[in-house]
Amino acid sequence: MTLEIYETVDDIRAAVRRARTLGKTVAFVPTMGYLHEGHAALIRKAAELAPVVVVSVFVNPLQFGPQEDFDRYPRDIEHDKQVIEQSGGGILFFPSASVLTPPDLQITVDPGPWGSVLCGKSRIGHFRGVCTIVAKLFNIVNPDYAVFGWKDAQQLLIIKKMVNDLNFPIEIVGLETVREPDGLALSSRNTYLSADERERAPWLYKALSRARERALSGECVDVTTLRDDIVKTIAEKVNGIIDYVEIVRLSDLTPLHRVEIGNTMIAAAVFLGKTRLIDNVRF
Ligand code: PAF
């Protein structure tokens, strides 16, 4: 089946309506493009959930700060079309900035308190930008399901909360992070890493995984000790600048003093040269 491609709100709405009149359900994967195996896994999951799979590609200016990498964010729409087709996507929504973020846009979605912790502390306005664009996409695409990766755990949790609090009739499905064989989480931004940085980057996940193992085995459940150990490993092995390492409740992102098995997330962000790596473990 050839990929259907739509660039306007009216056209994508009409395509989804046609599918719905045939009684088909719709699963949606919103992306910023430069698709990799992690996105392919999200699209394959969407294809398991519904016969119609819509993927959007839109580099959302609202979620980038003024000093961030919006202009140099990698883009390759021809490659993206191939990944979407090969992974089971049937419809691509590829709007321009004037369609989704016209200059007179003034209403935005407040992400609530979860938007200003972890990544939200240093990326001011990031989650407002994410929620605003995802809410718009949900209203335009009108899916039954939307699939997001656990790599961006805070984003996934905030979107679930938004869908719950604002009564979007959509089921949010989370999919586990896809990793390179050495553990590095797949990310479009990995393309910024130099060869030397690429060698060191997997130590972020190794540090988080080791803390998870120590907590699960009962060897250490004290959050300060676990955190200090992670910070030490990152300083020695990743050799980047730590934005944050935090151990929080998965249920509400509040800080923990002792790990709560079943409700703990260790999340971290580290600058490695020009690349901001994020990762997390949950247990
Ligand atoms: O995870 C992403 O790629 C983006 O934050 C999203 C969800 C597509 C919104 O722009």
Side-chain angles (χ1 to χ4, degrees), residues 86-99:
Q86 285 163 8
S87 313
I91 300 179
L92 166 62
F93 181 42
F94 182 47
S96 64
S98 59
V99 167

Side-chain angles (χ1 to χ4, degrees), residues 183-258:
L184 178 66
L186 295 196
S187 163
S188 305
R189 289 187 168 102
N190 289 351
T191 181
Y192 303 151
L193 293 168
S194 69
D196 174 53
E197 289 163 352
R198 175 63 189 82
E199 290 263 295
R200 289 182 273 135
W203 279 97
L204 171 58
Y205 180 58
K206 285 184 190 152
L208 300 181
S209 304
R210 162 136 178 82
R212 175 176 54 188
E213 274 163 33
R214 292 179 73 204
L216 284 175
S217 69
E219 182 195 324
C220 178
V221 289
D222 175 61
V223 157
T224 309
T225 315
L226 288 171
R227 188 183 173 281
D228 287 351
D229 197 39
I230 296 168
V231 168
K232 190 163 170 277
T233 307
I234 292 176
E236 280 172 8
K237 303 285 195 182
V238 182
N239 194 16
I241 297 168
I242 294 177
D243 180 7
Y244 68 85
V245 174
E246 290 196 37
I247 305 184
V248 296
R249 286 186 187 84
L250 197 46
S251 53
D252 62 6
L253 301 182
T254 53
L256 281 165
H257 299 292
R258 285 171 66 78

Side-chain angles (χ1 to χ4, degrees), residues 27-33 35-50 52-56 83-84 87-89 145-152 155-156 172-178 186 188:
F28 177 43
V29 182
T31 80
M32 296 209 300
L35 305 183
H36 49 66
E37 185 47 37
H39 296 108
L42 300 179
I43 298 168
R44 284 195 296 270
K45 180 70 196 174
E48 277 170 36
L49 293 166
V52 176
V53 174
V54 179
V55 179
S56 64
V83 174
I84 295 168
S87 313
Y145 304 92
V147 190
F148 293 84
W150 271 108
K151 154 96 183 343
D152 297 299
Q155 168 173 282
L156 171 56
I172 302 299
V173 177
L175 200 71
E176 200 41 76
T177 307
V178 178
L186 295 196
S188 305

Side-chain angles (χ1 to χ4, degrees), residues 29-33 39 56 58-60 63 73 126 129-130 133-134 137 148 152 155 159:
V29 182
T31 80
M32 296 209 300
H39 296 108
S56 64
F58 180 66
V59 184
N60 170 26
Q63 68 188 76
Y73 195 84
H126 171 72
V130 170
I133 218 68
V134 171
L137 288 166
F148 293 84
D152 297 299
Q155 168 173 282
I159 286 167

